Every structure is written in C-alpha cells, then in structure tokens.
C-alpha cells in the first residue's frame, strides 16, 4: 500500500485486530507475489497490503463462509444482511439470544453467515468465542445503535477478488507455501497471565505446543526462502520460542475490556523469519 494511503478498516469487530498497528506490519512485511495468512481474522493485514494475490485461510468455517459469500455476492449479500438482520427492533437481548441459538442450529450457510455478522456487531465487544461443543456463546453486548458496516463490507468485496479463501489449519497452509510467497501469522496469542488466556476463538484453543510448532514451521519456511512474519504477545515464552527470528517489540493498548479505564497497554512482539 502506498504511503499516505488511507487505511481500510475491517468490517468485523475482532479481538486483537491488527488495524491499529498496520503501519508497523507493513514496514516489516517483505515483497512477494502472494501473501498467505493462516490466521486471517478480521483481514486487516490483507486489506492494507498490496500483493498480487492472497491466500486467506482460517480454521473457523463460520468466518471463511462469511468472506466467501461477501466475495461472491457483494452488494446483494450486504443488502441481505442489512435488511434482515440489522435495525433497532433487532437490538435487544431476546432477539439476540434467539438468533444466537438459530446460528448454532441452522444448516443454511448463507443465513448462518449473515447471523455471524449480526452476532459480531451486537455481541459483547465483538468477541468470537465458542464453547467446548463448538457452540457460539458470546453474550449480548448492549450497544445503543450497532453500526452496520456497509462501506467496509463493499471495500472487502472489491479487494477479495484477488483472494482465495480456505478453511484449513496453519500447518497445511504453511507447508504448502512456495517460493514467491510471503506468510503473515497472527495466531491466538500466548497469554500474558494464566487468567488472561483467550484461545477459544475456535473450538479447541491454541496450546503452547502449537506455538512451538508454528515457530518451527516458520523456520522451515525460511529455509525454503519463504519469509514469515509472526505477531504475538511479548512474553518470556515467546521470546524463547522466537529466539531465531529478528524481533521488534512495542506497547499496544488492548481493547477487550468494556471498562475503558482497564484497557491497559501490553507488550506486542513481531518476529520476522527472513
């Protein structure tokens, strides 16, 4: 993305979104023909980089299905989401919990994708969280007037014409990368403390063993001349795991808590294998 270009904001709320630090990520990402994101999340990096092609994968099928419908249907899907799932009459606990139950039961993927957007914009702090059975379980958020991101969705639709979306684990995606690719990884972060562990973004969590595996795959990719950039918390654990990478750390304000006075700064780490 050219300097001074206006950043494109993701249409989903997302814990740990990289929109606020996109300038730092842009500076570190090497050039290449295709950007691969094994943990796509809100797509902030995809939206604000300028590669010829993108492979955007995630192990959350609800997220990928939403992106595929928006990619394929564009304005028609945006109108569908707005007309049937947004408005003050739908912004109440009773409707929210009925729609959350429907989301967890329906087999209609188009409807489920629109409901995913509804739950994201109406749920508590935009969290994406599932229980051990795979059921979405984020409580009602109590916003006065949830914003419908029509402009942001349309921008995503246009940019997504250069992307392939895939439901896949990070292992498969990284092992299949080829020369000319650049990989950016934004995995579930290693917790700052035992009580701060947030890895239930998809059922199954993300273990320390997987953190080690991700680092090993990054080193293996580097040996094949495929650069990898990884984001994580700056902790003793991550400093040890990424010891073979070039490291950059800096403070970032976290926005998980609904209490603005408790949204403290935490250490962010960028590890570049290049």
């Amino acid at each position: 993305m050219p300097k001074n270009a206006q950043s494109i904001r993701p249409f989903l709320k997302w814990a740990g979104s990289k929109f606020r630090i996109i300038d730092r990520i842009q500076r570190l990402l090497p050039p290449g023909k295709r950007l691969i994101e094994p943990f796509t999340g809100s797509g902030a990096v995809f939206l604000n980089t300028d590669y010829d092609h993108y492979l955007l994968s995630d192990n959350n099928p609800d997220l990928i299905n939403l992106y595929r419908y928006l990619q394929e249907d564009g304005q028609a899907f945006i109108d569908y989401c707005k007309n049937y799932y947004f408005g003050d009459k739908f912004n109440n606990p009773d409707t929210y919990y009925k729609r959350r139950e429907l989301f967890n039961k329906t087999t209609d993927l188009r409807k489920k994708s629109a409901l995913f957007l509804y739950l994201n914009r109406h749920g508590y702090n935009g969290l994406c969280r599932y229980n051990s059975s795979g059921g979405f379980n984020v409580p009602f958020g109590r916003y006065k007037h949830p914003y419908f991101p029509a402009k942001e969705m349309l921008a995503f639709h246009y940019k997504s014409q250069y992307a392939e979306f895939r439901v896949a684990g990070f292992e498969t995606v990284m092992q299949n990368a080829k020369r000319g690719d650049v990989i950016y990884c934004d995995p579930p972060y290693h917790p700052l403390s035992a009580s701060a562990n947030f890895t239930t973004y998809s059922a199954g969590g993300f273990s320390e063993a997987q953190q080690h595996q991700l680092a090993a795959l990054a080193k293996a990719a580097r040996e094949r001349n495929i650069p990898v950039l990884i984001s994580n918390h700056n902790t003793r654990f991550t400093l040890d795991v990424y010891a073979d990478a070039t490291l950059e750390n800096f403070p970032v304000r976290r926005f998980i808590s609904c209490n603005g006075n408790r949204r403290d700064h935490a250490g962010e780490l960028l590890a570049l294998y290049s």
Side-chain angles (χ1 to χ4, degrees):
M1 174 166 285
K3 291 182 179 179
N4 302 321
Q6 185 174 1
S7 296
I8 302 173
R9 186 178 293 274
F11 69 90
L12 291 175
K13 295 183 178 182
W14 210 255
S17 172
K18 295 301 169 285
F19 183 73
R20 293 178 180 274
I21 62 168
I22 193 62
D23 57 333
R24 290 182 179 269
I25 293 171
Q26 287 170 337
R27 287 198 297 269
L28 287 177
L29 277 173
K33 294 182 179 179
R34 180 175 69 162
L35 180 67
I36 297 176
E37 291 196 57
F39 307 89
T40 297
S42 68
V45 174
F46 151 66
L47 289 168
N48 291 285
T49 50
D50 190 22
Y51 292 88
D52 293 338
H53 303 284
Y54 296 84
L55 172 56
L56 305 175
S57 70
D58 205 282
N59 67 350
N60 185 335
D62 298 326
L63 179 70
I64 296 299
N65 285 333
L66 169 59
Y67 288 162
R68 285 172 172 167
Y69 277 109
L70 183 55
Q71 178 188 43
E72 183 69 23
D73 295 346
Q75 189 63 54
F77 182 71
I78 296 170
D79 293 341
Y80 169 67
C81 292
K82 183 175 183 179
N83 294 337
Y84 290 94
Y85 295 97
F86 279 74
D88 289 343
K89 63 181 179 180
F90 303 128
N91 184 31
N92 58 78
D94 184 58
T95 300
Y96 178 85
Y97 289 113
K98 285 180 179 177
R99 287 186 165 183
R100 191 180 74 175
E101 182 180 9
L102 176 61
F103 172 83
N104 286 327
K105 290 181 177 180
T106 186
T107 58
D108 183 332
L109 293 183
R110 189 168 190 258
K111 178 183 291 185
K112 191 176 180 73
S113 295
L115 284 167
F116 186 82
L117 175 63
Y118 167 85
L119 294 171
N120 176 264
R121 303 302 306 194
H122 291 76
Y124 179 78
N125 268 4
L127 289 176
C128 181
R129 189 185 67 192
Y130 298 80
N131 59 30
S132 59
S133 300
F136 191 90
N137 65 355
V138 176
F140 182 58
R142 301 187 182 278
Y143 299 104
K144 289 185 177 180
H145 301 288
Y147 173 67
F148 182 74
K151 178 180 69 174
E152 293 83 355
M153 290 177 75
L154 192 59
F156 190 101
H157 164 71
Y158 288 132
K159 186 70 182 284
S160 70
Q161 303 311 303
Y162 303 94
E164 174 190 353
F165 294 99
R166 191 181 297 176
V167 179
F170 69 94
E171 308 94 332
T172 300
V173 175
M174 294 180 72
Q175 288 170 347
N176 290 334
K178 57 189 178 182
R179 192 162 185 172
D181 290 335
V182 176
I183 302 175
Y184 171 68
C185 296
D186 184 25
Y189 277 18
H190 184 259
L192 293 169
S193 66
S195 61
N197 196 350
F198 178 72
T199 57
T200 49
Y201 147 74
S202 58
F206 202 79
S207 67
E208 288 192 351
Q210 288 173 302
Q211 300 280 5
H212 279 286
Q213 185 182 15
L214 176 61
L217 288 168
K219 285 186 277 189
R222 179 176 61 188
E223 292 173 0
R224 306 194 327 264
N225 293 311
I226 302 168
V228 181
L229 180 65
I230 304 177
S231 298
N232 216 311
H233 277 143
N234 182 14
T235 67
R236 289 183 180 179
F237 174 84
T238 55
L239 288 173
D240 179 61
V241 170
Y242 304 140
D244 292 335
T246 301
L247 303 179
E248 179 177 314
N249 60 78
F250 50 93
V252 173
R253 198 177 185 196
R254 297 295 180 218
F255 288 84
I256 295 295
S257 172
C258 62
N259 183 342
N261 294 326
R262 296 179 62 186
R263 299 185 182 188
D264 298 328
H265 286 81
E268 183 86 7
L269 188 68
L270 291 173
L272 178 62
Y273 293 84
S274 179

